[in-house]
C-alpha cells in the first residue's frame, strides 16, 4: 500500500463518510483511495463549490466532511469556500495535494501552508511515510474535537511512497472545559437579580436546547438565537426567533428592553447585536468554550469559559426560581406578534419579496432545510421561512461572499435527504455559482432553488443611492430557461399565482431541482440591509 492509500483507509476508519472535490492529477489517487475505503464521493464542477458543499454538509450533519483538491490552483480556487468554513468553525478537512519539496520551479508551487493560515484554517501536512498515520489522526482530531477547518497538505512524492506498516496512534479526544464554580455562582446571582433576562444562543449552543430551556424555565428568560443557530428553539412559546438584523420588530423591542442578556456560544457580532444597540442597556454575559471568543466583539460584564450544555446544567443547580420576563402580557404578544408581517399582494410585473417568502412558507413542507446566499434579499428567506430545528437552517455568512448559496443547498440536501432543501439566492450570486446547477441535476436532488431576481447587485444599488448604477444593474435574464436547459423544472414567478408549479413539483417524483426565477421588486433596501448600513 502507498501512503495515499493509507490516508484514505485511515480517514474512513476514523469516521469520514462523505467527500467532495474536483479531481486533478494531484488528488486523483487520494480521491480513489477514499472511494475504495467506502467513502461516498461527490464530484463538483468548481473547487469553491466543492468546499462549500462540504462545509454545508458538515454543518447540517454534524459530521466531519472532506474536500479534495489539486495542488496550487486547485487550492486557490477553493479558498473562498475554505475561508467561509474556517471563519465559521466548521469541522472540514481539506486534502490538498502539494508539490514535492524538490520541485521548486513547478508551475503549481505556492506556499500552501501560508494560504491556509491566511483564511483562518489550520495548516497541517503529511510529512513522511513514517509520520503519515500520526499526521492524519492529528489533523482529523483537530477538525472533530476543536471544530476547526484543517488543510492537510499531501506532497506528491510522499503520496507515492510505500506506507510504513504499524498500528495507527489513538486519537486523543479534546473536551470543552467545565466552567469554574465561581463563574457559575456569579451567573446564577445575575439571573436571580434579573427582571427581564434574555438568552441568545449561537452556533456553540447547537445541541444544548434541553439544558438551555431548563435554565430559562427556571429564571424566566426569553429565548433568541443568532442567525446561524436559527431554529434552535422552534416550538417554544417563549422563542423570539433571531436576534439582530433579521429580528422581528417585537424581538428587537423585547431584547432591547432586557436587563440581562446571556450569550450562549454566540460571538455577539455587530449583526447579532445591531451594532450593539440591542444590548446597550443590559448586563452582558458571554459563555463560550474558547477563551479568545470571550469579549472579542462586545465588552462583557462576565465571561464564562465552558461548554454551553454543562454550564447551563451547573447554573441550574444553584439558580433560584423566578418569573423574570415571562409575564402573561409578554407571552400573549409573542403568540400574536412574533412573525414578520407580509403586505397584501399588489398585481404587477414584479412580486414583493415579502409576499413571495410568506407564500413559500405556506406551500413548502414544514420538514425543510433552508439555506441562503448573501445579498440584499437574504433577510426575506431568513425571516419568513420557518425551520424545524437548528439543523434546518444553514447560513454561510462568515466570509460574507455571494455565490455560495447553490453549492450550500447541495451540501445541505445530501446531509438531510429526509427534508426538502430550499436554496435562496440572489440573481448575482446564483449566476456566480451556476456551474453547480449541473451537479444538482446529475445527483437527482429534489432541491428548490428560489432566485430573488432584481437584475443586479441589490445591496450595492441600494447602498449607493443616487450614484451611477451602470456597474451593478444588468439586463433581465430568463434564469428559468437556463435552468430548464440544465434539466431542472423551472418557472418565472411574477405573482403568487405562478407558484402553482411548487405544488405540482412536490406531488411528483422530485427527481430534478425546481428553480423559481422570482422577479422581485427592488424599490428599496430590505429592512435588515438598511439596519446593516447604519454601521458603514
Amino acid at each position: 500500500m502507498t501512503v495515499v492509500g493509507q490516508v484514505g483507509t485511515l480517514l474512513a476508519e476514523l469516521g469520514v463518510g462523505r467527500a467532495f472535490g474536483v479531481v486533478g492529477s494531484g488528488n486523483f489517487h487520494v480521491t480513489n483511495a477514499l472511494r475504495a475505503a467506502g467513502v461516498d464521493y461527490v464530484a463538483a464542477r468548481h473547487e469553491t463549490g466543492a468546499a462549500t458543499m462540504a462545509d454545508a454538509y458538515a454543518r447540517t450533519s454534524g459530521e466531519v466532511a472532506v474536500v479534495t483538491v489539486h495542488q496550487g490552483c486547485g487550492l486557490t480556487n477553493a479558498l473562498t469556500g475554505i475561508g467561509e468554513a474556517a471563519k465559521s468553525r466548521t469541522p472540514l478537512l481539506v486534502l490538498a495535494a502539494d508539490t514535492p519539496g524538490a520541485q521548486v520551479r513547478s508551475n503549481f508551487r505556492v506556499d500552501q501552508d501560508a494560504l491556509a493560515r491566511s483564511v483562518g484554517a489550520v495548516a497541517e501536512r503529511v510529512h513522511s511515510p513514517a509520520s503519515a498515520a500520526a499526521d492524519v489522526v492529528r489533523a482529523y482530531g483537530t477538525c472533530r474535537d476543536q471544530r476547526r477547518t484543517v488543510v492537510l497538505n499531501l506532497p506528491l512524492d510522499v503520496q507515492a511512497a510505500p506506507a510504513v506498516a504499524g498500528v495507527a496512534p489513538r486519537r486523543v479526544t479534546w473536551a470543552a472545559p467545565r466552567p469554574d464554580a465561581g463563574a457559575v455562582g456569579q451567573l446564577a446571582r445575575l439571573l436571580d437579580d434579573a427582571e427581564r433576562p434574555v438568552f441568545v444562543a449561537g452556533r456553540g449552543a447547537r445541541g444544548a436546547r434541553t439544558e438551555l430551556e431548563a435554565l430559562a424555565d427556571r429564571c424566566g428568560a426569553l429565548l433568541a438565537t443568532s442567525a446561524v443557530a436559527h431554529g434552535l428553539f422552534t416550538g417554544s412559546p417563549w422563542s423570539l426567533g433571531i436576534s439582530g438584523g433579521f429580528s422581528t420588530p417585537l424581538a428587537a423591542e423585547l431584547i432591547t428592553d432586557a436587563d440581562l442578556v446571556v450569550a450562549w456560544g454566540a460571538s455577539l457580532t455587530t449583526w447579532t447585536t445591531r451594532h450593539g444597540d440591542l444590548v446597550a442597556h443590559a448586563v452582558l454575559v458571554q459563555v463560550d468554550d474558547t477563551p479568545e471568543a470571550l469579549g472579542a466583539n462586545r465588552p462583557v460584564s462576565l465571561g464564562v469559559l465552558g461548554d454551553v450544555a454543562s454550564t447551563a446544567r451547573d447554573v441550574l443547580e444553584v439558580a433560584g426560581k423566578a418569573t423574570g420576563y415571562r409575564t402573561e402580557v409578554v407571552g400573549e404578544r409573542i403568540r400574536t406578534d412574533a412573525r414578520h408581517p407580509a403586505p397584501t399582494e399588489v398585481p404587477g410585473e414584479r412580486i414583493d419579496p415579502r409576499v413571495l417568502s410568506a407564500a413559500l412558507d405556506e406551500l413548502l413542507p414544514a420538514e425543510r432545510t433552508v439555506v441562503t446566499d448573501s445579498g440584499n434579499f437574504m433577510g426575506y428567506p431568513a425571516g419568513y421561512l420557518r425551520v424545524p430545528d437548528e439543523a434546518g437552517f444553514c447560513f454561510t455568512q462568515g466570509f460574507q461572499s455571494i455565490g455560495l448559496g447553490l453549492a450550500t443547498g447541495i451540501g445541505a440536501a445530501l446531509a438531510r435527504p429526509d427534508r426538502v432543501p430550499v436554496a435562496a439566492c440572489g440573481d448575482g450570486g446564483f449566476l456566480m455559482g451556476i456551474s453547480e446547477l449541473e451537479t444538482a441535476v446529475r445527483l437527482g436532488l429534489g432541491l428548490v432553488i428560489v432566485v430573488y431576481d432584481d437584475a443586479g447587485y441589490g445591496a450595492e444599488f441600494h447602498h449607493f443611492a443616487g450614484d451611477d448604477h451602470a456597474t451593478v444593474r444588468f439586463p433581465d435574464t430568463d434564469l428559468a430557461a437556463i435552468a430548464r436547459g440544465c434539466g431542472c423544472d423551472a418557472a418565472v414567478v411574477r405573482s403568487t399565482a405562478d407558484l402553482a408549479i411548487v405544488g405540482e413539483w412536490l406531488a411528483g417524483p422530485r427527481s430534478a431541482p425546481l428553480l423559481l426565477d422570482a422577479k422581485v421588486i427592488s424599490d428599496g433596501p430590505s429592512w435588515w440591509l438598511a439596519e446593516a448600513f447604519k454601521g458603514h
Side-chain angles (χ1 to χ4, degrees):
M1 177 184 287
T2 61
V3 168
V4 74
Q6 180 186 29
V7 170
T9 300
L10 182 53
L11 285 173
E13 291 173 353
L14 287 168
V16 171
R18 179 157 273 151
F20 301 78
V22 176
V23 171
S25 59
N27 64 324
F28 180 85
H29 291 301
V30 73
T31 301
N32 280 338
L34 289 166
R35 293 175 63 233
V39 176
D40 289 335
Y41 175 75
V42 177
R45 287 297 194 169
H46 192 279
E47 285 90 351
T48 286
T52 304
M53 290 174 203
D55 178 13
Y57 182 86
R59 296 187 198 212
T60 306
S61 68
E63 302 172 4
V64 173
V66 164
V67 60
T68 78
V69 295
H70 182 70
Q71 66 269 30
C73 50
L75 179 60
T76 58
N77 274 350
L79 274 183
T80 298
I82 294 170
E84 168 62 39
K87 288 175 179 290
S88 299
R89 294 292 295 270
T90 299
L92 174 63
L93 181 61
V94 183
L95 300 180
D98 201 0
T99 52
Q103 293 184 6
V104 295
R105 302 298 296 172
S106 168
N107 287 6
F108 295 123
R109 191 172 185 85
V110 291
D111 189 340
Q112 296 193 175
D113 290 337
L115 284 173
R117 287 190 291 267
S118 74
V119 295
V122 176
E124 285 283 7
R125 180 171 294 274
V126 174
H127 294 278
S128 69
S131 68
D135 296 335
V136 170
V137 170
R138 182 179 65 251
Y140 178 85
T142 301
C143 286
R144 172 80 281 170
D145 298 332
Q146 299 184 37
R147 305 190 314 278
R148 297 298 300 275
T149 295
V150 176
V151 176
L152 180 62
N153 292 301
L154 305 171
L156 294 182
D157 52 344
V158 178
Q159 284 192 42
V164 174
V167 178
R170 291 186 58 190
R171 179 168 68 90
V172 178
T173 57
W174 176 90
R178 189 76 179 265
D180 174 76
V184 167
Q186 284 181 268
L187 178 50
R189 287 190 291 273
L190 288 171
L191 289 170
D192 289 345
D193 293 340
E195 296 180 356
R196 296 178 303 282
V198 171
F199 288 177
V200 177
R203 181 182 289 108
R206 290 175 59 142
R209 173 172 179 164
T210 299
E211 293 82 0
L212 290 177
E213 283 194 320
L215 180 58
D217 289 345
R218 173 71 61 84
C219 66
L222 303 183
L223 299 165
T225 70
S226 66
V228 293
H230 179 36
L232 179 62
F233 300 119
T234 292
S236 168
W238 301 104
S239 173
L240 301 176
I242 299 174
S243 172
F246 299 153
S247 292
T248 63
L250 177 62
E253 175 193 333
L254 293 176
I255 295 170
T256 300
D257 288 345
D259 59 357
L260 173 66
V261 173
V262 185
W264 299 89
S267 56
L268 295 171
T269 66
T270 185
W271 315 111
T272 303
T273 64
R274 288 194 177 181
H275 315 293
D277 292 346
L278 290 183
V279 297
H281 307 296
V283 173
L284 194 57
V285 176
Q286 188 177 6
V287 179
D288 206 285
D289 63 13
T290 305
E292 55 267 29
L294 297 173
N297 290 308
R298 302 295 308 170
V300 296
S301 298
L302 174 65
V304 181
L305 180 64
D307 169 72
V308 166
S310 61
T311 300
R313 283 194 298 268
D314 288 355
V315 175
L316 181 65
E317 292 183 1
V318 293
K321 177 71 175 176
T323 299
Y325 220 154
R326 296 186 176 188
T327 65
E328 290 186 11
V329 172
V330 170
E332 180 61 24
R333 292 190 69 193
I334 293 173
R335 282 189 291 275
T336 59
D337 199 23
R339 298 188 64 190
H340 286 287
T344 302
E345 183 173 12
V346 177
E349 287 300 303
R350 306 190 83 85
I351 187 170
D352 188 305
R354 296 168 295 177
V355 171
L356 169 71
S357 303
L360 286 170
D361 184 59
E362 296 299 326
L363 287 169
L364 294 168
E367 286 296 313
R368 63 182 72 148
T369 304
V370 176
V371 310
T372 179
D373 208 330
S374 188
N376 174 62
F377 76 93
M378 71 190 206
Y380 302 116
Y384 285 86
L385 297 184
R386 289 169 289 184
V387 294
D389 52 33
E390 70 270 32
F393 191 64
C394 190
F395 192 61
T396 48
Q397 297 297 320
F399 209 178
Q400 286 190 256
S401 170
I402 71 171
L404 306 184
L406 178 56
T408 301
I410 293 171
L414 291 168
R416 290 300 302 263
D418 57 317
R419 292 180 171 177
V420 174
V422 183
C425 306
D427 54 298
F430 173 73
L431 287 168
M432 275 192 184
I434 197 170
S435 61
E436 302 307 344
L437 193 58
E438 185 279 333
T439 304
V441 172
R442 171 167 34 90
L443 295 174
L445 296 180
L447 170 66
V448 180
I449 305 163
V450 186
V451 182
Y452 290 73
D453 186 355
D454 59 5
Y457 295 132
E460 282 65 38
F461 63 68
H462 289 308
H463 181 44
F464 298 104
D467 287 314
D468 181 356
H469 291 160
T471 57
V472 292
R473 286 191 182 271
F474 303 97
D476 202 8
T477 303
D478 189 348
L479 301 178
I482 295 173
R484 282 191 290 269
C486 290
C488 297
D489 294 327
V492 173
V493 176
R494 299 185 184 276
S495 70
T496 53
D498 297 325
L499 294 175
I501 190 174
V502 176
E504 297 166 4
W505 180 85
L506 288 170
R510 305 184 202 175
S511 56
L514 169 66
L515 182 134
L516 303 174
D517 181 8
K519 306 299 186 182
V520 296
I521 60 174
S522 57
D523 55 357
S526 61
W527 85 92
W528 81 268
L529 191 68
E531 185 69 40
F533 281 158
K534 290 179 182 178
H536 284 217

